[in-house]
């Protein structure tokens, strides 16, 4: 109604706008885990896992709606891929984590101590392999590489000694300093600011309306949990930023020649410029006040 597009094109727009940004959320949740804010109730971990599921869900829907907008039809199997990819991703990641842990453990028992730097390289290598497995299996079955990586890391953390997982976490924290800069440069390079001028006031209203809708959705998901009012408010704030996924898929409808391509890209760029700084600043300024600090 706001942008004068049909229902299918609106669905494409919704799929583009729906995803939360890993580029903004991930480094901040890692920081909270290091500083022990909200970790007693595993709030940063929950948001990390939720963001991964969120992106899988959105990308599957986006592919389906784009097919419909091109004149195709949606199949029930397309939507079935969402839970299948989540379950298989967690199973594959958990299995990989167990195998890697036992390799480290057997090597330690035989007196061959593996340096933490070597473990980091092995974990990184397996993470890249899991991501490539997703692409390889795509024609046959849906598997979430992102969730597989998260599940692998969770299993290693659970099985390994606390001192070992703490040292590995510290090593990955140092790697993230460089990786974070590269990630934001890539996001910035993918954003074409020229398209923001064509979006108009209706697009801004749409973005804030979507944020309100998302906030209500997050709040409903947290009903019945042991989280306090402040902690729920933090979760709502953490699901606000949009950047990485919008930069990656925002231009796809235009490249495919869809009539809604230009307006989708314009709104995607505008969403990045509005919500990424709002979400980042909101998380940074509020976590000390809203989350409990674990001693």
């Amino acid at each position: 109604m706001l942008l004068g597009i049909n229902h299918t094109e609106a669905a494409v727009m919704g799929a583009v706008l729906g995803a939360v940004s890993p580029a903004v959320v991930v480094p901040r949740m890692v920081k909270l885990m290091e500083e022990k804010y909200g970790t007693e109730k595993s709030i940063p971990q929950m948001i990390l896992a939720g963001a991964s599921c969120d992106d899988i869900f959105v990308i599957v829907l986006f592919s389906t709606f784009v097919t419909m907008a091109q004149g195709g039809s949606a199949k029930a199997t397309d939507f079935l891929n969402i839970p299948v990819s989540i379950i298989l991703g967690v199973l594959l990641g958990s299995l990989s984590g167990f195998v890697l842990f036992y390799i480290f453990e057997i090597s330690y028992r035989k007196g061959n101590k593996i340096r933490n730097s070597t473990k980091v390289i092995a974990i990184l290598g397996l993470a890249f392999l899991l991501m490539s497995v997703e692409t390889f299996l795509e024609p046959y079955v849906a598997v979430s590489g992102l969730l597989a990586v998260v599940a692998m890391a969770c299993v290693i953390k659970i099985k390994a000694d606390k001192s070992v997982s703490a040292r590995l976490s510290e090593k990955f924290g140092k790697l993230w300093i460089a990786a974070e800069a590269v990630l934001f440069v890539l996001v910035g390079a993918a954003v074409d600011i020229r398209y923001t001028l064509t979006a108009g006031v209706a697009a801004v209203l749409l973005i804030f309306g979507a944020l309100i809708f998302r906030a209500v959705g997050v709040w409903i998901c947290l009903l019945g949990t042991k989280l306090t009012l402040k902690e729920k408010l933090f979760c709502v704030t953490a699901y606000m930023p949009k950047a990485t996924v919008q930069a990656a898929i925002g231009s796809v409808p235009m490249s495919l020649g869809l009539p809604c391509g230009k307006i989708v890209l314009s709104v995607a760029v505008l969403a990045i410029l509005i919500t990424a700084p709002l979400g980042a600043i909101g998380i940074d300024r509020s976590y000390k006040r809203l989350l409990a600090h674990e001693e």
Side-chain angles (χ1 to χ4, degrees):
M1 289 167 62
L2 283 169
L3 301 175
I5 54 179
N6 62 40
H7 290 88
T8 309
E9 291 170 341
V12 173
M13 174 84 75
V16 171
L17 283 185
V20 69
S21 170
V24 178
V25 172
V26 169
R28 281 161 178 82
M29 294 307 112
V30 171
K31 181 184 175 185
L32 294 192
M33 285 188 276
E34 288 173 352
E35 295 182 8
K36 302 286 184 183
Y37 276 95
T39 48
E40 192 175 344
K41 294 182 181 177
S42 300
I43 292 169
Q45 294 91 326
M46 175 187 72
I47 292 170
L48 272 179
S52 300
C53 290
D54 180 270
D55 292 343
I56 296 157
F57 194 89
V58 164
I59 289 166
V60 172
L61 289 180
F62 175 74
S63 304
T64 305
F65 293 142
V66 164
T67 303
M68 290 169 65
Q70 288 178 301
S73 57
K75 301 175 185 175
T77 51
D78 295 333
F79 297 99
L80 187 64
N81 280 338
I82 296 169
V84 169
S85 66
I86 291 170
I87 293 166
L88 289 182
V90 171
L91 289 175
L92 179 63
S94 301
L95 179 62
S96 304
F98 275 113
V99 170
L100 200 56
F101 168 75
Y102 283 115
I103 290 171
F104 293 157
E105 190 69 14
I106 290 166
S107 178
Y108 178 76
R109 286 175 186 174
K110 289 185 176 180
N112 301 320
K113 292 183 179 179
I114 302 174
R115 293 178 61 187
N116 288 322
S117 300
T118 308
K119 289 180 181 178
V120 165
I121 293 168
I123 294 168
L124 268 179
L126 188 56
F128 287 129
L129 178 63
L130 290 172
M131 292 301 295
S132 62
V133 165
E134 177 182 354
T135 309
F136 178 74
L137 293 178
E138 193 173 355
Y140 312 105
V141 66
V143 179
S144 167
L146 283 173
L147 275 184
V149 172
V150 173
M152 174 189 67
C154 287
V155 168
I156 293 172
K157 180 176 172 61
I158 292 166
K159 299 292 289 181
D161 186 78
K162 279 190 176 182
S163 60
V164 174
S165 60
R167 287 197 298 270
L168 287 175
S169 180
E170 187 182 344
K171 293 276 186 185
F172 276 108
K174 290 175 182 176
L175 279 177
W176 182 247
I177 293 169
E180 185 180 7
V182 172
L183 180 60
F184 277 100
V185 167
L186 291 173
V187 171
V191 173
D192 193 338
I193 296 176
R194 291 175 298 174
Y195 288 103
T196 58
L197 301 174
T198 61
V201 178
V204 177
L205 291 173
L206 172 69
I207 291 163
F208 280 102
L211 287 177
I212 293 167
F213 194 85
R214 165 56 66 91
V216 172
V218 173
W219 194 273
I220 290 169
C221 290
L222 296 172
L223 292 176
T225 65
K226 293 180 180 179
L227 300 189
T228 64
L229 189 69
K230 287 183 176 181
E231 288 165 343
K232 289 177 183 177
L233 186 59
F234 176 80
C235 293
V236 168
T237 306
Y239 267 93
M240 186 182 293
K242 305 178 185 303
T244 331
V245 178
Q246 287 70 29
I249 66 175
S251 60
V252 172
M254 192 164 78
S255 66
L256 294 173
L258 296 179
C260 63
K262 191 173 180 180
I263 189 64
V264 168
L265 179 56
S266 302
V267 174
V269 172
L270 197 59
I272 294 169
L273 295 176
I274 292 173
T275 64
L278 271 180
I281 294 167
I283 293 169
D284 292 342
R285 296 286 175 86
S286 67
Y287 75 91
K288 288 184 179 178
R289 290 196 297 270
L290 299 179
L291 300 179
H293 186 248
E294 188 181 352
E295 296 298 334

